[in-house]
Amino acid sequence: MARDLQGKKVAFLATDTYEESELKKPWQALEEAGAELELVSIKEGEITALNEQELKPGAIHPVDKLASEARADDYDALVLPGGVGNPDKLRMDPDAVEFVRAFFEAGKPVGAICHGPWTIVEADMARGRTLTSFPSIKTDIRNAGGEWVDEEVVVDGGLVTSRTPDDLPAFCAKLVEEICEGEHAAQARSVA
């Protein structure tokens, strides 16, 4: 992959029970493309993935910054990995929700996979957008004013979404492309 993201800084927002592959694969793709990466979380220290097939703890990832201290102004883009418990915990944290909303308000690219769009729903940023996710949250997206589609990867004005780990190759490629393009004026259109 070309090093298209030199000079770009990307935040990953996650907490315990994140889906390991949905953090690891985008992280690798963005790092290979030259981006500087930071893990933002709602807890200090480290976060632990959940191996959902075995229902056992997975990889451990060090936290770089708390959501309460992080500012969207310091980043060029945001990535929201899935896992069932991870976004459910994030959407209950006002600092995490505000952090997500700030990326939309600034027109910056956001990538979300699997259950990751739950935090976008909580930030009230799904309204008027077309996106995909793990099928179990399609009703939440529709109820939040978004249009849910069953596609491998969906791009809507700087927002990149995918359904499951099977979609990671397409998700990672589009994520690099959207971050390379930079800010998207259409990203802020759903901000009320």
Side-chain angles (χ1 to χ4, degrees), residues 57-160:
I60 295 172
H61 202 291
V63 172
D64 296 304
K65 193 173 280 185
L66 290 173
S68 60
E69 300 167 348
R71 298 184 46 213
D73 292 346
D74 295 333
Y75 302 95
D76 297 291
L78 173 66
V79 179
L80 300 168
V84 178
N86 167 49
D88 194 47
K89 292 174 186 174
L90 292 175
R91 68 186 181 146
M92 297 297 293
D93 186 279
D95 293 320
V97 172
E98 185 52 40
F99 186 60
V100 171
R101 184 179 293 117
F103 279 88
F104 285 90
E105 290 171 347
K108 295 182 178 184
V110 175
I113 186 166
C114 196
H115 290 78
W118 251 346
T119 315
I120 294 169
V121 166
E122 191 65 33
D124 197 24
M125 294 294 117
R127 186 177 324 282
R129 297 185 174 281
T130 301
L131 59 160
T132 194
S133 67
F134 194 76
S136 68
I137 67 167
K138 69 182 174 183
T139 301
D140 296 327
I141 290 168
R142 288 175 176 155
N143 288 343
E147 179 184 344
W148 187 88
V149 294
D150 186 11
E151 295 178 16
E152 180 180 54
V153 65
V154 176
V155 179
D156 185 330
L159 174 61
V160 180

